[in-house]
Amino acid sequence: MGELISEHGRTYAEEAGIQLKDAPQPLYRLLLMAVLLSARIRGSIALATVRALHEAGLRDPRRMAGADWQERVDALGRGGYRRYDERTATQLGDGAELLLERWGGDLRHLREQAAGDVSALRRLLQEIPGIGPAGADIFLREVQRVWPEVAPYLDDKALSGAERLGLPKDPEKLAALAEDTEPAVLAAALVRAALDKEMAQEVQRHAG
């Protein structure tokens, strides 16, 4: 477990340049990351596109909703997100408008609506255009760093990484094995093992 965490325990938010805290803009950027990462596209491209949207000024729902469709397409293209750029540009606009209408552009109000119920939180997230089950899981794996009621959130993808590494497929047991490691960091490392067979084998060799 130590090798896994020390070598691969970096959250995806950190990799995307998001300084995550319980505030509207970083939470919105995390939501954008979840939308982009959940498509069938290379993770490195999705994370580069999170940064490109930020650099284009599309860093909160009001600015995203106010941008025209072509602006969003162009920003996605600059990140390399070309395969799904047109559909995603529409989803980002629709999602921003929904966030503004229902939660005042602040995902903390969505959190309040869920009232500590993680399954309700997961369901509400999926009402946002572009967020399906995979996107909701990505958001929850990362947001548990600042929303402690979510932790430990280890979804099927993280648990498949644990299985590949020969670790227990039980969130509580994994959290115990990880000791003081933040659940968000553990989840990110396990997901990397699920996505990269060679990396998982290397971790096992070092551990063995």
Side-chain angles (χ1 to χ4, degrees), residues 81-178:
Y81 205 88
R82 294 188 180 86
R83 186 174 168 195
Y84 300 104
D85 55 351
E86 296 187 358
R87 185 185 73 183
T88 303
T90 301
Q91 288 175 335
L92 294 182
D94 292 346
E97 286 175 12
L98 179 75
L99 271 171
L100 290 165
E101 287 167 17
R102 287 187 61 182
W103 298 295
D106 188 343
L107 284 160
R108 294 176 300 179
H109 297 318
L110 181 149
R111 180 192 186 188
E112 287 164 14
Q113 188 178 337
D117 182 337
V118 177
S119 61
L121 191 54
R122 189 173 187 270
R123 188 174 65 251
L124 286 167
L125 285 166
Q126 289 179 69
E127 293 180 22
I128 300 168
I131 294 284
D137 284 338
I138 291 165
F139 183 87
L140 292 170
R141 285 198 309 257
E142 297 276 326
V143 85
Q144 63 185 324
R145 178 166 247 181
V146 293
W147 291 358
E149 74 275 14
V150 175
Y153 194 87
L154 300 172
D155 64 327
D156 288 344
K157 181 67 78 176
L159 295 178
S160 70
E163 184 176 39
R164 175 171 272 176
L165 292 163
L167 296 168
K169 280 189 71 179
D170 178 278
E172 298 294 340
K173 287 180 182 175
L174 285 166
L177 280 172

Side-chain angles (χ1 to χ4, degrees), residues 1-6 167 173-175 177-178 181 186 190 203 207:
M1 184 70 83
E3 168 81 11
L4 174 70
I5 300 302
S6 64
L167 296 168
K173 287 180 182 175
L174 285 166
L177 280 172
T181 300
L186 172 62
L190 291 173
V203 168

